[in-house]
Amino acid sequence: DKMRIDRFKLVEKMMRRNLNQKQLSDLAKVSRATISGIKAGRSCSETVGLRIAQALGVDVAEIIEED
């Protein structure tokens, strides 16, 4: 299943944890291109969304886009 991460929430959480794209991609074990794509508004798999949330130390519900 696909999910869409809210890019503004993502950037805010990254800034709060003082992480750049490379650091986040390393922590989440996803490629930098994946992080770039999400920041550009692309959707991602649930697995990737969960990994990113975990790397940011938040619940995935805190970063997904509201309908």
Side-chain angles (χ1 to χ4, degrees):
D1 256 7
K2 291 284 189 186
M3 67 167 53
R4 193 177 292 270
I5 291 177
D6 185 306
R7 51 190 174 199
F8 300 109
K9 291 178 186 172
L10 175 65
V11 170
E12 186 233 331
K13 303 285 186 207
M14 286 172 67
M15 284 170 58
R16 196 165 282 182
R17 297 236 19 223
N18 202 18
L19 293 173
N20 64 31
Q21 280 189 39
K22 172 154 181 18
Q23 292 164 322
L24 179 59
S25 71
D26 288 347
L27 282 171
K29 296 178 175 54
V30 299
S31 70
R32 275 216 322 249
T34 298
I35 304 290
S36 292
I38 291 167
K39 284 176 83 175
R42 283 192 217 111
S43 55
C44 65
S45 70
E46 280 186 26
T47 306
V48 167
L50 289 168
R51 283 185 189 168
I52 290 170
Q54 196 171 25
L56 291 169
V58 299
D59 192 282
V60 74
E62 292 181 57
I63 58 170
I64 56 174
E65 219 169 72
E66 308 289 327
D67 286 335

